[in-house]
């Protein structure tokens, strides 16, 4: 990280950051993103000082270099857009992540670059699975598999395998990817790359080990994540991932709730809440607390655009709470929809037929059609085509009703690090 920071500094003490080599800025921004330093990463790509907390010192344009240096080459533009896609994904902005990834992949193809596409394929696979677009998720999972066979994923091999595994698991179940997970757990390079870059990965692997009855997979993941946390005490995302994985392995609800507070990644935070709810729901006296945690997880998944996870949590809420547990939404047209109508609209907007929507939500195609009629009326649309065309825009407008708050620091402060060391 220190080497990347030094490389991204321009020659000469008083020169603006935007005059530093773009490739170095992208490299540093990518590393910052992987430890969830999203605001510094965004500022760096915009040609601003990542350490500045306020002000607009350098109004850099990430899409083009300064006039004296000429326009960016397609390859550099591709790297820039793919870095932006990773930032959006880490921030829970799936629509923006998908748009940036598609642009980056197109530019990489124009430049004939074969090393960059796996970065975009990871983003597209993960976004698609979370948004319940399994067809697209599997398409990019296959491309990641092909890249692995051709040796093109050398910069992020662990993330490539993990993204592909999530898409395949969504279609065929956890048993279908057991061999991939074993491969990750027994390969030090794959494991280190993945666990340091994706805060949700260690808990996901522990969860997979528990579901598969593979104690070795779960134990290896917890031990490795613990070592990485000791070696990277300064990074809050790494500490959160370790706490989450350990709490899940030990079925410690208090540790899982603490991990949810520490997580900077919205999806990882939601999964920690869901895991804590699952542990607490095993005891009748903690059932109300479990329902509250699950409602918070539903809100977090909703805000992150994770339709697949939202549908799962809502199903679990119906089991735990007679009143359902609808996540709070803003005062827009979408707020008029019931949970089921929201899920139906999300899936139909992805192009799924009534039969496929029904199979995802465990309802009949006739019930899907019934909900669609009510959705059309509430959203003031007249057809599936119009719903698909307007759905993402409606959701973006809904999220736009709420200004983003300043996020917590991605670094662990010295006092906190000292307490952890002690």
């Amino acid at each position: 990280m220190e080497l990347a920071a030094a490389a991204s500094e321009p020659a000469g003490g008083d020169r603006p950051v935007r005059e530093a080599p773009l490739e170095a800025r992208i490299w540093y921004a990518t590393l910052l993103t992987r430890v969830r330093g999203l605001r510094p990463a965004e500022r760096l790509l915009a040609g601003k000082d990542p350490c500045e907390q306020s002000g607009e010192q350098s109004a850099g344009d990430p899409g083009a270099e300064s006039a004296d240096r000429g326009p960016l080459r397609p390859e550099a533009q591709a790297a820039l857009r793919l870095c932006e896609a990773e930032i959006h994904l880490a921030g829970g902005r799936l629509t923006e992540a998908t748009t940036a990834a598609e642009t980056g992949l197109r530019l990489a193809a124009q430049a004939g670059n074969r090393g960059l596409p796996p970065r975009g394929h990871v983003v597209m696979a993960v976004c698609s699975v979370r948004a319940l677009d399994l067809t697209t998720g599997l398409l990019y999972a296959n491309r990641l598999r092909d890249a692995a066979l051709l040796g093109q994923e050398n910069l992020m091999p662990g993330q490539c395998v993990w993204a592909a595994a999530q898409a395949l698991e969504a279609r065929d179940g956890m048993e279908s990817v057991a061999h991939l997970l074993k491969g990750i757990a027994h390969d030090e390079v794959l494991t280190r790359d993945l666990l340091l870059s994706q805060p949700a990965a260690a808990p996901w692997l522990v969860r997979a080990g528990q579901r598969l009855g593979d104690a070795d997979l779960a134990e290896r993941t917890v031990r490795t994540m613990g070592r990485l946390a000791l070696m990277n005490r300064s990074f809050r995302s790494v500490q959160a991932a370790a706490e989450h994985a350990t709490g899940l392995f030990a079925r410690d609800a208090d540790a899982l709730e603490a991990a949810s507070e520490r997580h900077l990644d919205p999806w990882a935070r939601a999964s920690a809440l869901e895991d804590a709810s699952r542990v607490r729901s095993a005891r009748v006296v903690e059932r109300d607390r479990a329902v509250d945690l699950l409602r918070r997880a539903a809100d977090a998944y909703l805000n992150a655009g994770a339709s697949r996870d939202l549908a799962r949590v809502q199903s679990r809420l119906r089991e735990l709470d007679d009143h359902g547990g609808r996540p709070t939404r803003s005062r827009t047209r979408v707020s008029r929809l019931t949970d089921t109508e929201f899920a139906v609209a999300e899936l139909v907007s992805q192009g799924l037929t009534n039969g496929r929507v029904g199979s995802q939500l465990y309802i009949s195609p006739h019930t899907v059609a019934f909900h669609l009629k009510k959705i059309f009326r509430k959203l003031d649309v007249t057809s599936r085509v119009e719903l698909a065309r307007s759905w993402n825009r409606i959701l973006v407008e809904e999220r736009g009703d709420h200004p983003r708050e300043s996020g917590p620091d991605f670094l662990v402060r010295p006092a906190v690090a000292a307490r952890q060391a002690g």
Side-chain angles (χ1 to χ4, degrees), residues 7 18 21 24 92 116 135 175 198 221 227 248 261 292 338 345 370:
R18 66 174 179 269
L116 287 172
T135 300
E175 292 77 10
Q198 297 291 344
T221 302
R227 287 197 300 270
L248 186 58
E261 296 297 326
D292 178 65
T338 66
F370 172 73

Side-chain angles (χ1 to χ4, degrees), residues 90-101:
R93 303 183 292 273
L94 300 192
T95 301
E96 295 93 329
T98 299
T99 300

Side-chain angles (χ1 to χ4, degrees), residues 305-374:
S307 305
R308 177 172 181 253
D309 306 288
L310 178 61
R312 180 185 63 251
V313 166
Q314 288 173 335
S315 176
R316 178 62 174 158
L317 273 170
R318 286 191 288 271
E319 296 175 11
L320 293 177
D321 181 14
D322 292 337
H323 300 291
R326 180 179 178 182
T328 303
R329 301 194 185 106
S330 61
R331 296 184 296 277
T332 66
R333 286 180 291 171
V334 175
S335 67
R336 306 173 197 167
L337 302 180
T338 66
D339 289 335
T340 301
E341 289 166 357
F342 182 90
V344 167
E346 180 79 19
L347 294 174
V348 168
S349 72
Q350 299 289 344
L352 273 66
T353 64
N354 286 5
R356 290 185 62 196
V357 172
S359 67
Q360 293 284 355
L361 300 180
Y362 307 101
I363 57 179
S364 73
H366 295 294
T367 303
V368 173
F370 172 73
H371 286 304
L372 267 179
K373 291 180 181 178
K374 296 197 291 183

Side-chain angles (χ1 to χ4, degrees), residues 170-206:
R171 183 188 67 180
D172 301 322
M174 191 62 76
E175 292 77 10
S176 68
V177 297
H179 64 291
L180 291 176
L181 305 185
K182 278 284 191 183
I184 293 175
H186 288 82
D187 188 309
E188 184 178 348
V189 174
L190 290 179
T191 303
R192 186 173 61 249
D193 164 62
L194 174 59
L195 299 188
L196 287 175
S197 302
Q198 297 291 344
W204 194 87
L205 289 171
V206 172

